[in-house]
Amino acid sequence: MAASTSACFRPPPLSASAKLRPAELSSSSAISFPFNLSADVRGLGLRLTSSPLSSPLKVVCMRGSKGGKKEKTAKPDPVYRNRLVSMFVNRVLKNGKKSLAYFIMYRALRRVQEKTGQNPLAVLRDAVQGVTPDVAVKSRRVGGATQQVPVEVDTTQGKALAIRWLLVAARKRQGRDMVFKLSNELIDAAKGSGDAIRKREETHRMAEANRAFAHYPAAVVTKDSWEKSILKSDTPVLVEFHASWCGPCKMVHRVIDELAGEYQGRIQCFVLNADNDSEIAEDYDIKAVPVVLLFKNGEKQETVVGTMPKEFYAAAIERVLKP
């Protein structure tokens, strides 16, 4: 009995076709990473090599990440074969009862068909499109106070907001059960009425009222415009050196965008890609990214290396703005 149990956990032997043969290898007998260093490879006496880094710059204050970020997409539901229905089911779901979520969604769509005499998927699509916002508001610190700053939303984010608002409005309606309330809310949203539509209009009004607090993104500067924009500028200038592959640069870039809005008219903010304009990076001894330089009258005044809190950059700007 013990022998049979141990045999169940013994890994299968490597097939002959899967083993490496010296004749199939290149003449240099070199293998580049990544490679699974098994016992068969070690026995061949191969020389393992790794390729050098493609960029001379290094990243300051960045943790390693395991693989790239994969975008998740909803699978079609088993009845209508529609991804939008699956997105609703996943958000109706509570306490892991997915069968109940499917029951609620399918009964609601059936009631929509009985009440309107139309294709329930068309009504569902019209409801989501009618509720999907063009802009959203996000809380940000502007000038020492918290403001609802308008931000643009892409198609995926807008659809997620529309589904959330539809379900929230359906749960607040008066009715005997969720099937009744959800079906009525979908019908009203498809006709351009209901609490979800009012939520969208309220968001747009709030975004329009706070349009003045929208963030002003930093402008892009290159080698051709460096002298005119930086060295010959009458106002102090902030330049962020970044790279497209740098993760911390994206965090610093958001901070610089906020500072560009707060110090609008007092300082000009620019971003420069250190990979594309390496000559300027070499002139100012930029060996790591992100790096922020502050100029006044064409001369470098302050240097901030790495990812720092927003207050750190604001303090450097205030020192440069002093007469």
Side-chain angles (χ1 to χ4, degrees), residues 79-271:
V79 175
Y80 291 96
R81 302 294 180 182
N82 189 279
R83 288 189 175 90
L84 188 58
V85 175
S86 292
M87 294 176 67
F88 266 92
V89 169
N90 292 335
R91 286 158 179 80
V92 172
L93 174 67
K94 279 189 174 182
N95 301 325
K97 299 179 181 179
K98 199 156 191 176
S99 59
L100 180 58
Y102 274 117
F103 174 82
I104 294 173
M105 192 63 197
Y106 290 153
R107 290 290 299 272
L109 291 177
R110 183 184 302 176
R111 190 174 183 276
V112 168
Q113 184 178 9
E114 294 174 353
K115 194 171 181 179
T116 62
Q118 300 177 9
N119 186 346
L121 295 182
V123 177
L124 180 66
R125 183 182 64 251
D126 294 342
V128 172
Q129 290 179 354
V131 180
T132 301
D134 299 326
V135 293
V137 290
K138 184 177 181 181
S139 299
R140 284 184 178 174
R141 297 283 295 180
V142 178
T146 303
Q147 302 290 345
Q148 297 294 325
V149 178
V151 294
E152 295 184 358
V153 294
D154 55 19
T155 305
T156 305
Q157 293 174 340
K159 189 180 296 184
L161 285 174
I163 295 174
R164 183 192 306 171
W165 293 346
L166 283 168
L167 292 178
V168 170
R171 293 188 177 104
K172 292 181 179 179
R173 292 179 72 105
Q174 298 294 329
R176 57 180 180 269
D177 54 16
M178 187 60 182
V179 174
F180 181 84
K181 295 187 288 186
L182 179 58
S183 59
N184 287 343
E185 185 63 32
L186 292 176
I187 294 173
D188 290 346
K191 294 179 180 179
S193 61
D195 290 344
I197 294 293
R198 285 192 286 271
K199 175 67 175 178
R200 176 182 181 272
E201 295 174 353
E202 180 184 351
T203 302
H204 282 186
R205 284 196 300 267
M206 188 181 300
E208 189 64 28
N210 296 333
R211 182 68 64 180
F213 299 105
H215 92 224
Y216 300 86
V220 178
V221 65
T222 60
K223 180 177 64 176
D224 299 332
S225 59
W226 177 265
E227 183 176 356
K228 179 180 179 181
S229 302
I230 309 301
L231 302 182
K232 294 184 178 180
S233 177
D234 297 332
T235 59
V237 178
L238 181 148
V239 183
E240 175 202 348
F241 289 79
H242 73 100
S244 58
W245 43 265
C246 173
C249 295
K250 298 178 181 179
M251 296 185 289
V252 174
H253 192 66
R254 288 193 291 268
V255 174
I256 299 303
D257 281 349
E258 295 179 5
L259 292 173
E262 296 178 12
Y263 288 91
Q264 187 188 18
R266 302 174 60 191
I267 191 172
Q268 298 183 27
C269 297
F270 295 91
V271 292

Side-chain angles (χ1 to χ4, degrees), residues 14 18-20 35-44:
L14 189 65
K19 293 183 179 181
L20 294 174
F35 193 84
N36 185 11
L37 191 62
S38 61
D40 297 298
V41 178
R42 291 195 295 267
L44 295 175

